[in-house]
Amino acid sequence: MMLCYDGKLSLYCFVTASVIAGLPEILFRLEFDNYMSYLQNMWVIHILLYGFLNLLLALAFRGFAYRVAVRATFLGYVFAVGILIFFCSSASWQMFGIYISVLAFFHYSEFLAIAWTNPDTVSIESFILNHSLAYGIAACSSWLEFIVERYFFPTIKEASSISYFGLVLCLGGEVLRKMAIFTAKRNFSHIVQNKKAENHELVTHGVYGFCRHPSYVGWFYWSIGTQLILQNPFCFVAYAITSWRFFHERVLIEELTLLNFFRGQYVDYQKKVGTGLPFIVGYKVEL
């Protein structure tokens, strides 16, 4: 399946923004610093570069294309800045840079995966940047915990086996979720459907042969992995509990819908394959 126009546009913007974000550091390393003495602040350069990129986008695109481009550009720029923080900042900030890159890539790859596999349903919501108020509060809480703990105990935020294990958990969760999307293809949606489409099929092969909800499993472990990267003990516990409750409810709602769509076929599938989420069995019914 070919990548649709909106997917290609987002990919160009994401990659271009990532490259441009790295230019100041590259030029500095090459000692092309005639403008450095004038600005004397890398953050000022990034603000100017990002502002210039947004000006170009406003001139080049309109409507939905502009909304896609500006979000992909933002995520690409943040992704690259996170990498720069990891390589260029003090030890106590390095893993925050990795976290930023992981977060930005996750949200961008959600849009790209939908644009590639199910372009008819792609929308601005496919970036899931505005997932929910609770999601935003959770993200801000993790940033606040990291900053406060780093201020008082900077050494506990330095890279360790815990933070790298969190990175592995995030990468594994990311891969599993995207495998689920690419396996389900047009049968996947960010929104639980309440009406069965004519081409809607029950997917039981690939990663769906190992767990019934691989996309949720991937997201669950990605979520708690982000807090291990930041080494946030309080948010780790809060994320684990909150994510479990969210997916417990989400699985119940989705499986009730799937049982209505596929009836005995889904009951047989339930008997053979678990949800993949710890202590979550899903909606069971005997026919």
Side-chain angles (χ1 to χ4, degrees):
M1 183 180 295
M2 295 293 292
L3 186 60
C4 66
Y5 168 77
D6 295 316
K8 292 178 180 177
L9 174 62
S10 73
L11 185 59
Y12 295 150
C13 290
F14 183 87
V15 173
T16 300
S18 298
V19 172
I20 290 177
L23 286 179
E25 182 63 25
I26 294 173
L27 294 175
F28 179 76
R29 297 283 180 177
L30 293 175
E31 295 183 350
F32 294 158
D33 58 353
N34 55 318
Y35 60 93
M36 289 292 179
S37 58
Y38 176 69
L39 294 174
Q40 295 181 348
N41 193 323
M42 293 293 287
W43 291 108
V44 174
I45 298 174
H46 283 298
I47 291 172
L48 292 175
L49 279 177
Y50 183 69
F52 179 69
L53 279 175
N54 276 270
L55 176 61
L56 292 179
L57 294 177
L59 294 174
F61 302 106
R62 293 290 184 275
F64 184 72
Y66 171 75
R67 296 168 69 194
V68 169
V70 75
R71 285 164 175 78
T73 297
F74 169 73
L75 292 172
Y77 209 98
V78 171
F79 174 78
V81 167
I83 295 175
L84 290 176
I85 290 174
F86 175 74
F87 284 108
C88 304
S89 65
S90 62
S92 60
W93 278 109
Q94 288 180 335
M95 296 316 297
F96 189 78
I98 291 296
Y99 162 81
I100 289 175
S101 295
V102 166
L103 186 66
F105 184 81
F106 172 79
H107 284 284
Y108 171 68
S109 63
E110 286 291 300
F111 179 89
L112 183 65
I114 296 299
W116 206 316
T117 60
N118 198 2
D120 292 338
T121 65
V122 74
S123 68
I124 293 303
E125 283 68 36
S126 299
F127 285 105
I128 57 174
L129 287 168
N130 56 342
H131 179 268
S132 65
L133 177 61
Y135 184 81
I137 293 174
C140 292
S141 298
S142 70
W143 305 340
L144 180 61
E145 180 181 350
F146 178 89
I147 292 172
V148 171
E149 290 175 350
R150 180 196 170 274
Y151 179 81
F152 290 103
F153 312 104
T155 56
I156 70 171
K157 295 302 181 181
E158 294 179 3
S160 69
S161 57
I162 294 176
S163 53
Y164 284 117
F165 176 72
L167 176 59
V168 171
L169 209 58
C170 284
L171 294 177
E174 177 79 71
V175 170
L176 179 59
R177 182 168 170 82
K178 296 311 180 289
M179 287 178 65
I181 295 175
F182 276 89
T183 300
K185 296 179 181 176
R186 293 185 179 275
N187 298 288
F188 182 89
S189 174
H190 280 129
I191 302 173
V192 177
Q193 303 298 303
N194 54 23
K195 184 178 180 180
K196 183 182 178 183
E198 292 183 2
N199 61 348
H200 193 177
E201 301 175 351
L202 177 61
V203 181
T204 60
H205 63 281
V207 291
Y208 288 88
F210 298 97
C211 54
R212 298 201 302 270
H213 300 280
S215 66
Y216 293 164
V217 175
W219 197 353
F220 175 76
Y221 286 106
W222 176 89
S223 176
I224 61 177
T226 60
Q227 299 313 297
L228 290 176
I229 290 176
L230 295 176
Q231 300 182 94
N232 283 349
F234 297 106
C235 279
F236 171 76
V237 174
Y239 268 53
I241 295 173
T242 304
S243 296
W244 187 90
R245 287 179 175 174
F246 171 79
F247 288 118
H248 180 268
E249 181 180 347
R250 185 71 174 251
V251 165
L252 288 176
I253 295 172
E254 182 166 315
E255 294 211 327
L256 181 60
T257 302
L258 290 169
L259 283 164
N260 183 47
F261 287 174
F262 302 105
R263 300 187 180 277
Q265 186 182 0
Y266 194 77
V267 172
D268 293 338
Y269 178 49
Q270 284 182 313
K271 293 177 180 178
K272 297 176 182 177
V273 182
T275 65
L277 292 158
F279 308 110
I280 296 179
V281 296
Y283 192 97
K284 293 294 185 71
V285 62
E286 296 294 335
L287 296 182

Short mmCIF file of all heavy atoms in Angstrom, two decimals, residues 152-200:
data_model
loop_
_atom_site.label_atom_id
_atom_site.label_comp_id
_atom_site.label_asym_id
_atom_site.label_seq_id
_atom_site.Cartn_x
_atom_site.Cartn_y
_atom_site.Cartn_z
N PHE A 152 16.49 19.01 43.48
CA PHE A 152 16.97 18.67 44.82
C PHE A 152 17.97 17.51 44.81
O PHE A 152 18.89 17.49 45.64
CB PHE A 152 15.78 18.32 45.72
CG PHE A 152 14.92 19.50 46.08
CD1 PHE A 152 13.70 19.69 45.45
CD2 PHE A 152 15.34 20.42 47.02
CE1 PHE A 152 12.90 20.78 45.78
CE2 PHE A 152 14.56 21.52 47.36
CZ PHE A 152 13.34 21.70 46.73
N PHE A 153 17.80 16.58 43.88
CA PHE A 153 18.69 15.40 43.84
C PHE A 153 19.11 15.12 42.40
O PHE A 153 18.66 14.15 41.78
CB PHE A 153 17.99 14.17 44.43
CG PHE A 153 17.31 14.41 45.75
CD1 PHE A 153 15.93 14.55 45.81
CD2 PHE A 153 18.06 14.50 46.92
CE1 PHE A 153 15.30 14.77 47.02
CE2 PHE A 153 17.44 14.72 48.14
CZ PHE A 153 16.06 14.87 48.19
N PRO A 154 19.95 15.97 41.82
CA PRO A 154 20.29 15.84 40.39
C PRO A 154 20.93 14.51 40.02
O PRO A 154 20.73 14.01 38.90
CB PRO A 154 21.26 17.01 40.16
CG PRO A 154 21.76 17.38 41.52
CD PRO A 154 20.64 17.11 42.45
N THR A 155 21.66 13.89 40.92
CA THR A 155 22.35 12.65 40.57
C THR A 155 21.39 11.49 40.33
O THR A 155 21.73 10.56 39.59
CB THR A 155 23.34 12.25 41.69
OG1 THR A 155 22.64 12.14 42.93
CG2 THR A 155 24.46 13.29 41.80
N ILE A 156 20.20 11.52 40.93
CA ILE A 156 19.27 10.40 40.74
C ILE A 156 18.63 10.42 39.36
O ILE A 156 17.96 9.45 38.96
CB ILE A 156 18.16 10.38 41.82
CG1 ILE A 156 17.20 11.56 41.61
CG2 ILE A 156 18.75 10.40 43.21
CD1 ILE A 156 15.97 11.48 42.50
N LYS A 157 18.83 11.53 38.62
CA LYS A 157 18.28 11.62 37.27
C LYS A 157 19.32 11.28 36.20
O LYS A 157 19.02 11.34 35.01
CB LYS A 157 17.71 13.02 37.03
CG LYS A 157 16.53 13.37 37.92
CD LYS A 157 15.39 12.37 37.75
CE LYS A 157 14.21 12.73 38.62
NZ LYS A 157 13.08 11.76 38.48
N GLU A 158 20.51 10.95 36.61
CA GLU A 158 21.53 10.56 35.64
C GLU A 158 21.21 9.18 35.08
O GLU A 158 20.56 8.36 35.73
CB GLU A 158 22.91 10.58 36.29
CG GLU A 158 23.35 11.98 36.71
CD GLU A 158 24.71 11.99 37.38
OE1 GLU A 158 25.34 10.92 37.47
OE2 GLU A 158 25.13 13.08 37.83
N ALA A 159 21.68 8.93 33.86
CA ALA A 159 21.39 7.67 33.17
C ALA A 159 21.81 6.47 34.02
O ALA A 159 22.88 6.47 34.63
CB ALA A 159 22.11 7.64 31.83
N SER A 160 20.96 5.46 34.05
CA SER A 160 21.23 4.25 34.82
C SER A 160 20.60 3.07 34.10
O SER A 160 19.95 3.21 33.07
CB SER A 160 20.67 4.37 36.24
OG SER A 160 19.25 4.37 36.19
N SER A 161 20.76 1.88 34.68
CA SER A 161 20.17 0.68 34.10
C SER A 161 18.64 0.78 34.08
O SER A 161 17.98 0.25 33.19
CB SER A 161 20.60 -0.57 34.88
OG SER A 161 20.26 -0.45 36.26
N ILE A 162 18.08 1.49 35.07
CA ILE A 162 16.62 1.67 35.12
C ILE A 162 16.13 2.48 33.94
O ILE A 162 15.15 2.12 33.27
CB ILE A 162 16.21 2.34 36.45
CG1 ILE A 162 16.50 1.43 37.63
CG2 ILE A 162 14.73 2.72 36.42
CD1 ILE A 162 16.22 2.07 38.98
N SER A 163 16.80 3.60 33.68
CA SER A 163 16.37 4.47 32.58
C SER A 163 16.55 3.79 31.23
O SER A 163 15.70 3.92 30.34
CB SER A 163 17.12 5.80 32.61
OG SER A 163 18.51 5.60 32.66
N TYR A 164 17.62 3.03 31.07
CA TYR A 164 17.83 2.33 29.80
C TYR A 164 16.86 1.17 29.65
O TYR A 164 16.43 0.84 28.52
CB TYR A 164 19.27 1.86 29.67
CG TYR A 164 20.22 3.00 29.32
CD1 TYR A 164 21.24 3.39 30.19
CD2 TYR A 164 20.07 3.70 28.13
CE1 TYR A 164 22.09 4.44 29.87
CE2 TYR A 164 20.91 4.75 27.80
CZ TYR A 164 21.92 5.12 28.67
OH TYR A 164 22.76 6.17 28.36
N PHE A 165 16.48 0.52 30.75
CA PHE A 165 15.45 -0.50 30.69
C PHE A 165 14.13 0.12 30.26
O PHE A 165 13.36 -0.47 29.49
CB PHE A 165 15.29 -1.20 32.04
CG PHE A 165 14.17 -2.20 32.08
CD1 PHE A 165 14.28 -3.41 31.39
CD2 PHE A 165 13.00 -1.93 32.77
CE1 PHE A 165 13.23 -4.33 31.41
CE2 PHE A 165 11.96 -2.84 32.81
CZ PHE A 165 12.08 -4.05 32.12
N GLY A 166 13.85 1.33 30.77
CA GLY A 166 12.65 2.05 30.36
C GLY A 166 12.66 2.34 28.87
O GLY A 166 11.63 2.23 28.19
N LEU A 167 13.84 2.69 28.34
CA LEU A 167 13.96 2.96 26.91
C LEU A 167 13.66 1.70 26.10
O LEU A 167 12.96 1.74 25.10
CB LEU A 167 15.37 3.48 26.59
CG LEU A 167 15.69 3.71 25.10
CD1 LEU A 167 14.72 4.71 24.48
CD2 LEU A 167 17.12 4.19 24.95
N VAL A 168 14.20 0.56 26.55
CA VAL A 168 13.94 -0.71 25.87
C VAL A 168 12.45 -1.03 25.92
O VAL A 168 11.86 -1.50 24.93
CB VAL A 168 14.75 -1.85 26.53
CG1 VAL A 168 14.32 -3.21 25.98
CG2 VAL A 168 16.24 -1.64 26.30
N LEU A 169 11.81 -0.77 27.06
CA LEU A 169 10.38 -1.01 27.21
C LEU A 169 9.58 -0.13 26.24
O LEU A 169 8.61 -0.59 25.62
CB LEU A 169 9.96 -0.72 28.65
CG LEU A 169 8.76 -1.49 29.22
CD1 LEU A 169 9.00 -2.99 29.16
CD2 LEU A 169 8.51 -1.05 30.66
N CYS A 170 10.00 1.12 26.11
CA CYS A 170 9.33 2.03 25.18
C CYS A 170 9.50 1.58 23.73
O CYS A 170 8.54 1.59 22.95
CB CYS A 170 9.87 3.45 25.34
SG CYS A 170 9.28 4.33 26.79
N LEU A 171 10.70 1.18 23.36
CA LEU A 171 10.96 0.73 22.00
C LEU A 171 10.17 -0.54 21.69
O LEU A 171 9.58 -0.67 20.61
CB LEU A 171 12.46 0.49 21.80
CG LEU A 171 13.35 1.73 21.87
CD1 LEU A 171 14.82 1.34 21.74
CD2 LEU A 171 12.98 2.73 20.79
N GLY A 172 10.15 -1.47 22.66
CA GLY A 172 9.39 -2.69 22.47
C GLY A 172 7.90 -2.42 22.34
O GLY A 172 7.22 -2.99 21.47
N GLY A 173 7.38 -1.55 23.20
CA GLY A 173 5.97 -1.19 23.14
C GLY A 173 5.62 -0.48 21.84
O GLY A 173 4.56 -0.74 21.24
N GLU A 174 6.51 0.39 21.40
CA GLU A 174 6.32 1.10 20.13
C GLU A 174 6.25 0.12 18.96
O GLU A 174 5.35 0.20 18.11
CB GLU A 174 7.46 2.09 19.92
CG GLU A 174 7.44 2.85 18.60
CD GLU A 174 6.48 4.02 18.61
OE1 GLU A 174 6.76 5.01 19.29
OE2 GLU A 174 5.45 3.92 17.90
N VAL A 175 7.19 -0.80 18.91
CA VAL A 175 7.23 -1.78 17.81
C VAL A 175 5.98 -2.65 17.82
O VAL A 175 5.37 -2.90 16.77
CB VAL A 175 8.50 -2.66 17.92
CG1 VAL A 175 8.43 -3.83 16.94
CG2 VAL A 175 9.75 -1.83 17.64
N LEU A 176 5.58 -3.13 19.01
CA LEU A 176 4.41 -3.99 19.10
C LEU A 176 3.15 -3.25 18.65
O LEU A 176 2.32 -3.81 17.91
CB LEU A 176 4.23 -4.48 20.54
CG LEU A 176 3.01 -5.38 20.80
CD1 LEU A 176 3.07 -6.63 19.93
CD2 LEU A 176 2.93 -5.75 22.28
N ARG A 177 3.00 -2.01 19.07
CA ARG A 177 1.81 -1.24 18.69
C ARG A 177 1.76 -1.01 17.19
O ARG A 177 0.71 -1.16 16.56
CB ARG A 177 1.78 0.09 19.44
CG ARG A 177 0.54 0.92 19.12
CD ARG A 177 0.38 2.09 20.07
NE ARG A 177 -0.66 3.00 19.63
CZ ARG A 177 -1.97 2.84 19.85
NH1 ARG A 177 -2.39 1.76 20.48
NH2 ARG A 177 -2.84 3.73 19.43
N LYS A 178 2.90 -0.66 16.60
CA LYS A 178 2.89 -0.41 15.16
C LYS A 178 2.72 -1.70 14.37
O LYS A 178 2.09 -1.71 13.31
CB LYS A 178 4.20 0.29 14.76
CG LYS A 178 4.36 1.68 15.38
CD LYS A 178 3.11 2.53 15.20
CE LYS A 178 3.22 3.92 15.80
NZ LYS A 178 3.21 3.95 17.25
N MET A 179 3.23 -2.83 14.88
CA MET A 179 2.98 -4.12 14.23
C MET A 179 1.50 -4.44 14.25
O MET A 179 0.94 -4.97 13.27
CB MET A 179 3.77 -5.22 14.94
CG MET A 179 5.26 -5.19 14.68
SD MET A 179 6.16 -6.48 15.60
CE MET A 179 5.49 -7.96 14.81
N ALA A 180 0.83 -4.09 15.35
CA ALA A 180 -0.61 -4.31 15.45
C ALA A 180 -1.36 -3.48 14.41
O ALA A 180 -2.28 -3.97 13.75
CB ALA A 180 -1.09 -3.96 16.86
N ILE A 181 -0.96 -2.22 14.26
CA ILE A 181 -1.63 -1.33 13.30
C ILE A 181 -1.41 -1.84 11.88
O ILE A 181 -2.36 -1.90 11.07
CB ILE A 181 -1.12 0.11 13.45
CG1 ILE A 181 -1.52 0.68 14.81
CG2 ILE A 181 -1.66 0.99 12.32
CD1 ILE A 181 -0.96 2.06 15.10
N PHE A 182 -0.18 -2.21 11.55
CA PHE A 182 0.11 -2.66 10.19
C PHE A 182 -0.48 -4.04 9.91
O PHE A 182 -0.70 -4.39 8.75
CB PHE A 182 1.62 -2.66 9.95
CG PHE A 182 2.15 -1.32 9.55
CD1 PHE A 182 2.56 -0.39 10.50
CD2 PHE A 182 2.23 -0.95 8.21
CE1 PHE A 182 3.03 0.86 10.14
CE2 PHE A 182 2.70 0.30 7.83
CZ PHE A 182 3.10 1.21 8.80
N THR A 183 -0.71 -4.84 10.95
CA THR A 183 -1.35 -6.14 10.75
C THR A 183 -2.85 -5.97 10.53
O THR A 183 -3.44 -6.59 9.64
CB THR A 183 -1.10 -7.06 11.96
OG1 THR A 183 0.30 -7.25 12.14
CG2 THR A 183 -1.76 -8.42 11.75
N ALA A 184 -3.47 -5.14 11.35
CA ALA A 184 -4.91 -4.92 11.25
C ALA A 184 -5.27 -4.08 10.03
O ALA A 184 -6.36 -4.23 9.46
CB ALA A 184 -5.43 -4.25 12.52
N LYS A 185 -4.39 -3.16 9.65
CA LYS A 185 -4.61 -2.27 8.50
C LYS A 185 -5.94 -1.54 8.61
O LYS A 185 -6.17 -0.80 9.56
CB LYS A 185 -4.48 -3.06 7.19
CG LYS A 185 -3.09 -3.63 6.98
CD LYS A 185 -2.98 -4.42 5.71
CE LYS A 185 -1.57 -4.98 5.55
NZ LYS A 185 -1.42 -5.84 4.37
N ARG A 186 -6.84 -1.73 7.66
CA ARG A 186 -8.09 -0.97 7.64
C ARG A 186 -9.05 -1.36 8.76
O ARG A 186 -10.09 -0.72 8.95
CB ARG A 186 -8.79 -1.14 6.28
CG ARG A 186 -8.01 -0.50 5.14
CD ARG A 186 -8.75 -0.58 3.82
NE ARG A 186 -8.00 0.06 2.75
CZ ARG A 186 -8.02 1.35 2.47
NH1 ARG A 186 -8.79 2.15 3.19
NH2 ARG A 186 -7.31 1.84 1.48
N ASN A 187 -8.72 -2.42 9.48
CA ASN A 187 -9.55 -2.82 10.61
C ASN A 187 -9.17 -2.10 11.89
O ASN A 187 -9.83 -2.27 12.92
CB ASN A 187 -9.44 -4.33 10.82
CG ASN A 187 -9.94 -5.12 9.63
OD1 ASN A 187 -11.14 -5.17 9.37
ND2 ASN A 187 -9.03 -5.72 8.88
N PHE A 188 -8.09 -1.31 11.85
CA PHE A 188 -7.64 -0.59 13.04
C PHE A 188 -8.19 0.83 13.03
O PHE A 188 -8.26 1.50 12.00
CB PHE A 188 -6.12 -0.53 13.10
CG PHE A 188 -5.58 0.16 14.33
CD1 PHE A 188 -5.33 -0.55 15.49
CD2 PHE A 188 -5.36 1.54 14.34
CE1 PHE A 188 -4.86 0.08 16.63
CE2 PHE A 188 -4.90 2.18 15.47
CZ PHE A 188 -4.64 1.44 16.62
N SER A 189 -8.55 1.31 14.22
CA SER A 189 -9.00 2.68 14.38
C SER A 189 -8.66 3.17 15.78
O SER A 189 -8.67 2.38 16.73
CB SER A 189 -10.51 2.79 14.14
OG SER A 189 -10.98 4.10 14.42
N HIS A 190 -8.35 4.46 15.90
CA HIS A 190 -8.09 5.02 17.22
C HIS A 190 -9.37 5.14 18.05
O HIS A 190 -9.31 5.29 19.27
CB HIS A 190 -7.46 6.42 17.07
CG HIS A 190 -6.00 6.37 16.78
ND1 HIS A 190 -5.43 7.07 15.73
CD2 HIS A 190 -4.97 5.71 17.37
CE1 HIS A 190 -4.12 6.85 15.71
NE2 HIS A 190 -3.83 6.04 16.70
N ILE A 191 -10.50 5.09 17.37
CA ILE A 191 -11.80 5.24 18.04
C ILE A 191 -12.55 3.92 17.97
O ILE A 191 -12.64 3.31 16.90
CB ILE A 191 -12.64 6.35 17.39
CG1 ILE A 191 -11.87 7.69 17.44
CG2 ILE A 191 -13.99 6.48 18.07
CD1 ILE A 191 -12.55 8.81 16.68
N VAL A 192 -13.07 3.45 19.10
CA VAL A 192 -13.85 2.22 19.12
C VAL A 192 -15.11 2.42 18.28
O VAL A 192 -15.87 3.36 18.51
CB VAL A 192 -14.23 1.82 20.55
CG1 VAL A 192 -15.12 0.57 20.54
CG2 VAL A 192 -12.98 1.56 21.38
N GLN A 193 -15.30 1.55 17.28
CA GLN A 193 -16.43 1.69 16.36
C GLN A 193 -17.68 1.05 16.96
O GLN A 193 -17.63 -0.02 17.57
CB GLN A 193 -16.10 1.01 15.03
CG GLN A 193 -14.84 1.55 14.36
CD GLN A 193 -14.96 3.02 14.00
OE1 GLN A 193 -15.87 3.43 13.28
NE2 GLN A 193 -14.04 3.83 14.50
N ASN A 194 -18.83 1.71 16.78
CA ASN A 194 -20.09 1.14 17.27
C ASN A 194 -20.95 0.60 16.14
O ASN A 194 -22.07 0.13 16.36
CB ASN A 194 -20.87 2.18 18.08
CG ASN A 194 -21.08 3.47 17.30
OD1 ASN A 194 -21.04 3.50 16.08
ND2 ASN A 194 -21.29 4.56 18.04
N LYS A 195 -20.43 0.69 14.91
CA LYS A 195 -21.14 0.17 13.76
C LYS A 195 -20.16 -0.59 12.87
O LYS A 195 -19.11 -0.07 12.51
CB LYS A 195 -21.80 1.30 12.97
CG LYS A 195 -22.64 0.82 11.80
CD LYS A 195 -23.30 2.00 11.10
CE LYS A 195 -24.16 1.51 9.93
NZ LYS A 195 -24.82 2.64 9.22
N LYS A 196 -20.50 -1.80 12.53
CA LYS A 196 -19.61 -2.65 11.73
C LYS A 196 -19.62 -2.22 10.28
O LYS A 196 -20.68 -2.13 9.64
CB LYS A 196 -20.03 -4.11 11.84
CG LYS A 196 -19.10 -5.06 11.09
CD LYS A 196 -19.58 -6.50 11.20
CE LYS A 196 -18.66 -7.43 10.41
NZ LYS A 196 -19.15 -8.83 10.44
N ALA A 197 -18.41 -1.95 9.74
CA ALA A 197 -18.28 -1.61 8.33
C ALA A 197 -18.35 -2.88 7.49
O ALA A 197 -18.10 -3.99 7.98
CB ALA A 197 -16.96 -0.89 8.09
N GLU A 198 -18.68 -2.72 6.21
CA GLU A 198 -18.82 -3.89 5.33
C GLU A 198 -17.51 -4.67 5.20
O GLU A 198 -17.52 -5.89 5.06
CB GLU A 198 -19.30 -3.43 3.95
CG GLU A 198 -20.72 -2.89 3.95
CD GLU A 198 -21.18 -2.53 2.55
OE1 GLU A 198 -20.39 -2.74 1.59
OE2 GLU A 198 -22.31 -2.03 2.41
N ASN A 199 -16.38 -3.95 5.23
CA ASN A 199 -15.08 -4.61 5.04
C ASN A 199 -14.38 -4.91 6.37
O ASN A 199 -13.20 -5.24 6.38
CB ASN A 199 -14.18 -3.75 4.16
CG ASN A 199 -13.91 -2.37 4.77
OD1 ASN A 199 -14.56 -1.98 5.73
ND2 ASN A 199 -12.94 -1.66 4.21
N HIS A 200 -15.10 -4.78 7.49
CA HIS A 200 -14.50 -5.02 8.80
C HIS A 200 -14.35 -6.52 9.03
O HIS A 200 -15.33 -7.26 9.01
CB HIS A 200 -15.36 -4.38 9.89
CG HIS A 200 -14.67 -4.32 11.22
ND1 HIS A 200 -15.24 -3.73 12.34
CD2 HIS A 200 -13.45 -4.76 11.64
CE1 HIS A 200 -14.42 -3.81 13.36
NE2 HIS A 200 -13.33 -4.45 12.96
#
